[in-house]
């Protein structure tokens, strides 16, 4: 069967559009969050370029792409930030807004389904 980038056999990573689209969505989400009055406190003093790369690597792995994630666990990397439930939901909402612009509905929902259970490791309240 000829390979088709967007058929159902393809990994979520491929159907999203690979690294270019993943990078765009992560970049938008982090830039928007880092300048959102309700979220920015967590990002103060954080190197956004490094963070973006780390999140892209992680989501690439989780969606079936051929990447290596060398960062910390979600528990360790967010512990000191004391992220609240409200902050987490707002961050995911920002993600959703970016996904709406750049990926299909099916792919958006699949990615959000991967993010949702990470809440318990990220949120402290
Ligand atoms: C499902 C949602 C989230 C995912 C997938 C995610 C993913 C990540 C990843 C992969 C890292 C890098 C860890 C490392 O390099 O060792 C990280 C760090 C970080 N995250 Fe998240 N995160 C999420 C939610 C949040 C939320 C809600 C906030 C704050 C509002 C946040 C703020 C940060 C900050 C500031 C860092 C950098 C910490 C540091 O460098 O000390 N994240 N996140």
């Amino acid at each position: 069967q000829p390979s088709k980038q967007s058929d159902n056999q393809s990994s979520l990573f491929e159907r999203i559009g690979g690294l270019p689209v993943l990078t765009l969505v992560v970049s938008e989400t982090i830039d928007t969050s880092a300048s959102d009055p309700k979220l920015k406190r967590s990002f103060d003093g954080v190197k956004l370029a490094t963070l973006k790369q780390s999140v892209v690597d992680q989501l690439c792995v989780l969606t079936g792409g051929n990447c290596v994630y060398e960062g910390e666990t979600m528990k360790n990397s967010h512990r000191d930030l004391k992220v609240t439930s409200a902050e987490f939901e707002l961050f995911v909402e920002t993600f959703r807004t970016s996904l709406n612009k750049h990926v299909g509905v099916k792919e958006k929902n699949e990615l959000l389904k991967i993010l949702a259970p990470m809440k318990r490791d990220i949120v402290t309240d």
Side-chain angles (χ1 to χ4, degrees), residues 30 33 38-48 50-51 54-59 62 69-74 76-78 80-81 83-84 87-92 95 114-116 118-119 122-123:
I30 290 178
S33 300
K38 288 185 168 156
L39 294 177
K40 67 198 301 290
R41 60 135 195 125
S42 293
F43 298 89
D44 281 353
V46 171
K47 279 194 176 158
L48 297 188
T50 308
L51 175 59
S54 198
V55 177
V56 167
D57 288 342
Q58 183 206 42
L59 294 183
L62 293 175
Y69 174 66
E70 294 185 301
E72 276 286 349
T73 62
M74 290 301 91
N76 284 342
S77 51
H78 297 90
D80 294 345
L81 298 172
V83 176
T84 65
E87 287 171 328
F88 182 88
E89 300 305 339
L90 200 52
F91 182 85
V92 171
F95 227 113
I114 290 173
L115 299 184
M118 297 165 93
K119 179 174 181 177
I122 290 172
V123 162

Side-chain angles (χ1 to χ4, degrees), residues 11 29 63 74 90:
S11 63
T29 302
T63 55
M74 290 301 91
L90 200 52

